[in-house]
Amino acid sequence: MVHHSGELIGTVAFAASGALVAVRRNLDVVGILLLAVATALGGGIVRDVIIGNTPPIAFTDYRFLVAAAAAGLLIFFWRVPARLTRWPLDVTDAIGLGMFAVAGTVVAYDWGLGAPGAALLGLTTAIGGGVIRDVLSGQIPIVLRPGEHLYAIPALACASAVAILLRYTDYQAWMGLVCAVAAIALRLASLKFGWHGPRPWYTGRTEPEG
Amino acid sequence: MVHHSGELIGTVAFAASGALVAVRRNLDVVGILLLAVATALGGGIVRDVIIGNTPPIAFTDYRFLVAAAAAGLLIFFWRVPARLTRWPLDVTDAIGLGMFAVAGTVVAYDWGLGAPGAALLGLTTAIGGGVIRDVLSGQIPIVLRPGEHLYAIPALACASAVAILLRYTDYQAWMGLVCAVAAIALRLASLKFGWHGPRPWYTGRTEPEG
Amino acid sequence: MVHHSGELIGTVAFAASGALVAVRRNLDVVGILLLAVATALGGGIVRDVIIGNTPPIAFTDYRFLVAAAAAGLLIFFWRVPARLTRWPLDVTDAIGLGMFAVAGTVVAYDWGLGAPGAALLGLTTAIGGGVIRDVLSGQIPIVLRPGEHLYAIPALACASAVAILLRYTDYQAWMGLVCAVAAIALRLASLKFGWHGPRPWYTGRTEPEG
C-alpha cells in the first residue's frame, strides 16, 4: 500500500490548509480541528463513496484522522503569525492537490475503473478537499474563482499521466511521486509567475450576477 | 436503455447551463469545463451513489462525460454575447430539470425503490445538478432563492407522474418524454408569466439574517 | 429499532429548524418544504451512504419523509410571528443535533464500524443536516461560524459517550437518551451563558479574506 504514504502526506497538507483557513477566519479550536479534518478526509471520503468502497478508509484506518487532527492541533498551538496564513496556505493546498490526484487515481484504478474514469476520479479527489473547505467557509472554491491561477490543470494532467502509466506500464510508486511533484511545481509556478488558463475572448469583465 | 437518451439530452442541457454561468462569471476555459461537467454529471452521480449503483455510470459510460465537455467547449469557442447568457441559461436549466426528473425516477424505480422513493430521488436528481452548480459558484441554489418562480413543483410533479405510470401502467419511453416536456413548459411558463408558490401570509418581507 | 424513535424526534426537530430558516428568508411553501426535508433527511442520508447502507432508509422508510414534510407544513400554516423564528430555531437545531449524534453513532456501530469511527460518523450525522441547511441557504454553517457558541463539542462528546457505552457496556436505549439530553442542554447552556471554545491566542480579530 505504497500509495497510502502519499495519501498520508496529502492528508497532513490538506489538514494544514484547512486549519490555516480556520485561523484566518478566527475560528476556535473546534472549528480549526473540524475544518482541518473535513478538508483532509473529504476528498478521500467522496472518492471511496463513489467507487463503493464503504465505509471509506477514513472511518476504518484511523491514521488519517489522527494525522489530520494532529496537523490541526499543531497549527492551533503554534503561534503562527497572521502573515504566515497566506503563502503556507497555497503551498499546503498545492501539496494536497498533487498527492491526492495520484492517490485518487491509483485507488480508483485498483478498484476496477477504466483509465479515463480513474483520471476523472483522481481529479475529483484532488479538488474535493479544497472544495469542501471553501464551501464550508462560505468562499467560492479556489478551482472556480475568477482570475485564479492554474489549479485543475495540474491536477488533471497529473491524474491523466498516472492513469496512462497504470494502463500501459508496470506502474511503480516513484512514478506517481514524480507526477505529484510535477503537479505541485506547476501549481506553485502558476502562482509565482501569474499563469492563467485562456478565457473566452468575447468578454473582458466579470458581469455582476443576479 | 431508452431513458439514457433522455439523460443524455439532460446532460447536454445542464452542461450548457453550467458553462453559461461560468461565462457570466468570467472563468477561464478550465472553469467553464469543470462547471459544465459538475452540473451535468452531479445529479446523476448523487442518484447513483444514493441507490448504491457504484461506481456511478458517469465514471463508466464516458458518453456523458464527453457530451458534457463538448457542450462546455462549444460555449467556450462560440462567441456568445453577454446578453445570451440569461434566457438560454433559464431554458437549458429547465430542459435539464425535466429530463433528469424522468431519468432519475426511472433509474431509481428500476433499481428497486418504491414509487414514492423513486419520485423523491427523481426530484433530487433533477435539482441536484443545479444545486451543485450554484453552490460551487457561491450563489444560493435557484430552488431556494427568495422570489424565484416555480422550480421544484414542475420537477416533483413530473417525477410523481412518472412514478405513478411506472407503478400502474405498462410504462413506455414516450410517457416520460411527455412528462418531461410538460415540466419544462411549466417551468418556462412560470418564468414568462411570473407564477409563484404561496408564501406564508404572516410576513411580507425578507427579514435580514444574522 | 429503538434508535428509530430518537431519529424520528431528531428528524422532526431538524425539519422545523429548516422550515424556520426558510420562513426567515421569506421562501414560498415549496422552499419551506424542501429546506425542511433536506435538513431533516440530509444527515441520515450522508450517514447511510458512508456506511454503504443504500438506498438510505429515508428513501425506503417513508415515516421520516412524512414527519419532515408534516413539520414543514405545520410551520407554513401556523402564523408564526417573526420573533419566533430565532430562539425556536436554536432549540430545534439543538434537539436535532443531540438526537442525531446518538442515532448516527448507534447505526454506524451496528453496521460494524469501530467505536472511534462510529463516534466520528455520529458527529458527521449530527452536524450534517445543519450544514446542508446552511450551505443551501447561502450561509456559513453554524458549526464553522466565527464567534459561534459550543456546537460540535456537545455533539462529539455525546457521540463519543455513546460509542464508549456501546463498546464496553450492555447498551440500553435510555443511555442514548441521557447522552442526547446532556448534549442538548450543553448546547443551549452555551447559548444562554455565552460559552466559547478556546481560540488561538495570537490573533484578536477576524482578518478579512481575499
Side-chain angles (χ1 to χ4, degrees):
Chain A
M1 291 310 190
V2 162
H3 63 263
H4 274 190
S5 312
E7 193 160 350
L8 264 177
I9 296 171
T11 298
V12 170
F14 263 155
S17 84
L20 287 169
V21 167
V23 165
R24 279 176 61 176
R25 299 187 54 244
N26 206 20
L27 295 181
D28 65 17
V29 62
V30 183
I32 293 171
L33 275 175
L34 273 181
L35 206 52
V37 169
T39 307
L41 305 187
I45 291 173
V46 167
R47 177 200 62 203
D48 287 350
V49 163
I50 283 179
I51 58 179
N53 180 21
T54 54
I57 57 169
F59 287 91
T60 54
D61 181 342
Y62 300 131
R63 286 180 301 164
F64 296 100
L65 177 62
V66 169
L73 278 179
L74 192 76
I75 285 180
F76 172 71
F77 281 114
W78 175 43
R79 288 170 172 273
V80 54
R83 67 187 159 79
L84 285 193
T85 60
R86 300 199 175 251
W87 68 260
L89 174 55
D90 290 329
V91 171
T92 53
D93 185 77
I95 295 173
L97 186 76
M99 289 297 174
F100 272 104
V102 175
T105 306
V106 170
V107 170
Y109 191 84
D110 283 352
W111 198 259
L113 279 187
L120 182 62
L121 197 48
L123 173 66
T124 308
T125 310
I127 66 180
V131 167
I132 290 170
R133 177 193 64 213
D134 295 338
V135 167
L136 290 181
S137 309
Q139 296 180 286
I140 293 176
I142 291 182
V143 71
L144 289 175
R145 271 180 216 159
E148 182 59 48
H149 301 283
L150 302 188
Y151 193 87
I153 286 179
L156 182 57
C158 171
S160 302
V162 170
I164 290 168
L165 290 168
L166 284 162
R167 178 77 180 74
Y168 294 109
T169 73
D170 177 24
Y171 180 81
Q172 304 292 328
W174 63 264
M175 297 179 184
L177 188 62
V178 169
C179 291
V181 169
I184 296 165
L186 178 56
R187 163 69 181 156
L188 293 177
S190 87
L191 287 171
K192 173 88 179 167
F193 300 111
W195 297 336
H196 288 274
R199 297 198 198 174
W201 52 81
Y202 45 85
T203 169
R205 59 193 180 78
T206 304
E207 190 182 351
E209 292 280 335
Chain B
M1 292 312 190
V2 162
H3 63 264
H4 274 189
S5 313
E7 191 160 351
L8 264 177
I9 296 170
T11 298
V12 170
F14 264 154
S17 84
L20 288 169
V21 167
V23 165
R24 278 176 64 177
R25 300 187 55 245
N26 206 21
L27 296 181
D28 64 17
V29 62
V30 182
I32 293 172
L33 275 174
L34 273 180
L35 205 52
V37 168
T39 308
L41 305 187
I45 291 172
V46 168
R47 177 200 63 204
D48 287 349
V49 163
I50 284 179
I51 58 180
N53 179 20
T54 53
I57 56 168
F59 288 90
T60 55
D61 181 342
Y62 301 131
R63 287 178 302 164
F64 296 101
L65 176 63
V66 169
L73 277 180
L74 192 75
I75 285 180
F76 172 72
F77 281 115
W78 176 43
R79 287 171 173 271
V80 54
R83 65 185 162 81
L84 284 192
T85 60
R86 298 197 175 252
W87 69 258
L89 175 54
D90 290 327
V91 171
T92 52
D93 185 76
I95 294 172
L97 186 75
M99 288 298 173
F100 272 104
V102 176
T105 308
V106 170
V107 170
Y109 191 84
D110 283 353
W111 199 259
L113 279 188
L120 182 62
L121 197 48
L123 173 65
T124 308
T125 310
I127 65 180
V131 166
I132 290 170
R133 177 193 62 212
D134 294 339
V135 166
L136 290 182
S137 309
Q139 296 180 286
I140 293 176
I142 291 182
V143 73
L144 290 174
R145 271 179 216 160
E148 181 58 47
H149 303 284
L150 303 188
Y151 192 88
I153 286 180
L156 182 56
C158 172
S160 302
V162 169
I164 290 169
L165 289 168
L166 283 163
R167 178 77 179 75
Y168 294 109
T169 73
D170 178 23
Y171 179 81
Q172 304 292 326
W174 63 263
M175 298 179 184
L177 187 63
V178 169
C179 292
V181 169
I184 297 165
L186 179 56
R187 164 67 182 156
L188 293 178
S190 87
L191 287 171
K192 171 90 179 169
F193 301 112
W195 296 337
H196 287 275
R199 297 197 198 172
W201 53 82
Y202 45 82
T203 170
R205 59 190 181 80
T206 304
E207 190 183 350
E209 292 281 334
Chain C
M1 291 311 187
V2 160
H3 64 262
H4 273 189
S5 312
E7 191 161 350
L8 264 176
I9 296 171
T11 298
V12 170
F14 263 154
S17 84
L20 288 169
V21 167
V23 165
R24 278 176 63 177
R25 299 187 55 242
N26 206 22
L27 295 182
D28 64 17
V29 62
V30 182
I32 293 172
L33 275 175
L34 274 180
L35 206 51
V37 168
T39 308
L41 306 186
I45 290 173
V46 168
R47 176 200 63 204
D48 288 350
V49 164
I50 285 178
I51 57 179
N53 180 20
T54 54
I57 56 169
F59 287 90
T60 53
D61 181 343
Y62 300 131
R63 288 179 301 164
F64 297 100
L65 175 63
V66 169
L73 278 179
L74 193 76
I75 285 181
F76 172 71
F77 281 114
W78 175 43
R79 285 171 174 273
V80 53
R83 64 186 162 80
L84 285 192
T85 59
R86 298 199 175 253
W87 67 260
L89 174 55
D90 290 329
V91 171
T92 52
D93 185 77
I95 295 172
L97 187 74
M99 289 298 173
F100 273 103
V102 176
T105 308
V106 171
V107 169
Y109 191 83
D110 283 352
W111 199 260
L113 279 188
L120 181 63
L121 196 48
L123 172 66
T124 307
T125 310
I127 65 179
V131 166
I132 289 170
R133 177 193 63 213
D134 295 340
V135 167
L136 290 182
S137 309
Q139 297 180 284
I140 293 175
I142 291 181
V143 73
L144 289 175
R145 272 181 216 158
E148 182 58 48
H149 303 283
L150 303 188
Y151 192 88
I153 286 178
L156 182 57
C158 171
S160 302
V162 169
I164 291 168
L165 290 168
L166 283 163
R167 177 76 180 75
Y168 294 109
T169 74
D170 178 23
Y171 179 81
Q172 303 293 325
W174 64 263
M175 299 177 183
L177 188 62
V178 170
C179 292
V181 169
I184 296 165
L186 179 56
R187 163 68 182 156
L188 293 177
S190 87
L191 286 172
K192 172 89 178 167
F193 301 111
W195 295 336
H196 288 274
R199 297 199 199 174
W201 53 81
Y202 45 83
T203 169
R205 58 188 180 82
T206 302
E207 191 183 350
E209 291 280 335

